[in-house]
């Protein structure tokens, strides 16, 4: 088993090349940050709470949600890499890669408030247009991998999507005039956080199942 896995694993030389490339790019990026004069370096390198002199718990739920996006992307990419190493279930590998990228993009959107702030105020692209673009990009992926979705815990994924939709369309679903501002944020952001959590749990389960199924297939082929 170990020999079979090692045969299909990336070589140490290749891994060192990737590590060197990413480290070099990071050093180059830090150098550019230090050289530019448009924005003070401290505003780009320090923690936002420290810059704004806010208590550490500001945005706690949002920050945890961003970590879950990142964790989902990492789990999907790792699962795809392992399935690729076993050279089985290519469709499952593509499934994990696509939704790993999707999770990473949504995490970046959440982190930098792209659809809420950056695109509307800096690029003149409306928030609803950006959300629509995400939906348009998501639907073909959903159709392309419909068999994968139906095979493993489809209700968990469906519940996640329902919570996202409820968060986005909250103002149209529940009259907010009768709710306090705190309750409005709690419900809207609560739906979103729960959606991210279930998204993370779903793709973690899919990744684990995909790797285990690849191992079973590999062992069956050897016997």
């Amino acid at each position: 088993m170990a020999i079979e896995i090692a045969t299909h694993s990336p070589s140490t030389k290749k891994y060192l090349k990737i590590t060197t490339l990413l480290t070099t790019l990071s050093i180059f990026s830090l150098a550019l940050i230090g050289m530019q004069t448009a924005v003070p370096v401290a505003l780009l390198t320090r923690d936002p709470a420290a810059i704004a002199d806010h208590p550490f718990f500001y945005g706690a739920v949002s920050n945890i949600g961003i970590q879950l996006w990142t964790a989902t992307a990492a789990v999907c990419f790792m699962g795809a890499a392992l399935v690729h190493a076993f050279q089985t279930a290519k469709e499952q590998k593509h499934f994990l890669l696509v939704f790993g990228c999707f999770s990473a993009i949504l995490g970046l959107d959440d982190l930098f408030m792209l659809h809420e702030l950056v695109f509307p105020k800096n690029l003149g692209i409306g928030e609803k247009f950006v959300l629509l673009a995400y939906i348009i990009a998501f639907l073909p992926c959903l159709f392309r991998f419909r068999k994968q979705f139906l095979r493993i815990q489809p209700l968990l994924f469906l519940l996640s999507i329902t919570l996202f939709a409820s968060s986005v369309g909250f103002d149209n679903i529940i009259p907010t005039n009768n709710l306090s501002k705190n309750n409005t944020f709690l419900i809207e952001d609560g739906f979103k956080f729960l959606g991210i959590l279930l998204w993370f749990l779903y793709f973690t389960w899919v990744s684990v199942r995909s790797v285990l199924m690849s191992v079973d297939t590999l062992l069956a082929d050897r016997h």
Side-chain angles (χ1 to χ4, degrees), residues 38-212:
V39 181
V41 172
L43 296 183
L44 297 173
T45 60
R46 298 181 66 207
D47 187 271
I51 294 171
D53 195 25
H54 287 161
F56 70 93
F57 52 81
Y58 274 26
V61 174
S62 177
N63 288 338
I64 294 173
I66 292 169
Q67 288 185 316
L68 289 174
W69 282 127
T70 305
T72 304
V75 166
C76 286
F77 291 145
M78 179 60 72
L82 289 172
V83 171
H84 176 73
F86 293 128
Q87 293 192 345
T88 59
K90 290 183 178 180
E91 188 73 5
Q92 204 67 13
K93 179 188 72 173
H94 296 152
F95 174 54
L96 292 172
L97 279 175
V98 167
F99 284 94
C101 291
F102 211 85
S103 300
I105 291 170
L106 293 176
L108 287 172
D109 185 298
D110 229 355
L111 179 62
F112 295 110
M113 301 179 68
L114 297 182
H115 78 271
E116 297 170 311
L117 189 64
V118 175
F119 286 117
K121 293 189 176 181
N122 296 85
L123 301 177
I125 303 175
E127 179 179 351
K128 291 183 178 179
F129 182 84
V130 178
L131 293 175
L132 181 61
Y134 285 151
I135 294 172
I136 292 174
F138 175 76
L139 289 178
C141 297
L142 183 62
F143 179 77
R144 168 71 172 76
F145 297 105
R146 61 192 182 281
K147 292 182 180 179
Q148 279 70 27
F149 283 119
L150 293 173
R151 186 179 299 136
I152 304 175
Q153 298 292 337
L155 291 179
L156 185 60
F157 178 76
L158 181 61
L159 183 55
S160 171
I161 297 301
T162 301
L163 287 166
F164 284 135
S166 299
S167 175
V168 172
F170 175 69
D171 294 338
N172 298 320
I173 297 172
I174 300 176
T176 57
N177 296 333
N178 299 325
L179 294 174
S180 67
K181 183 174 291 187
N182 281 339
N183 286 335
T184 300
F185 283 125
L186 179 62
I187 296 173
E188 185 174 353
D189 293 332
F191 280 158
K192 178 183 174 182
F193 177 79
L194 292 174
I196 299 172
L197 175 62
L198 293 182
W199 179 278
F200 164 71
L201 294 174
Y202 173 77
F203 281 104
T204 298
W205 181 244
V206 169
S207 297
V208 171
R209 281 288 303 275
S210 298
V211 172
L212 292 177

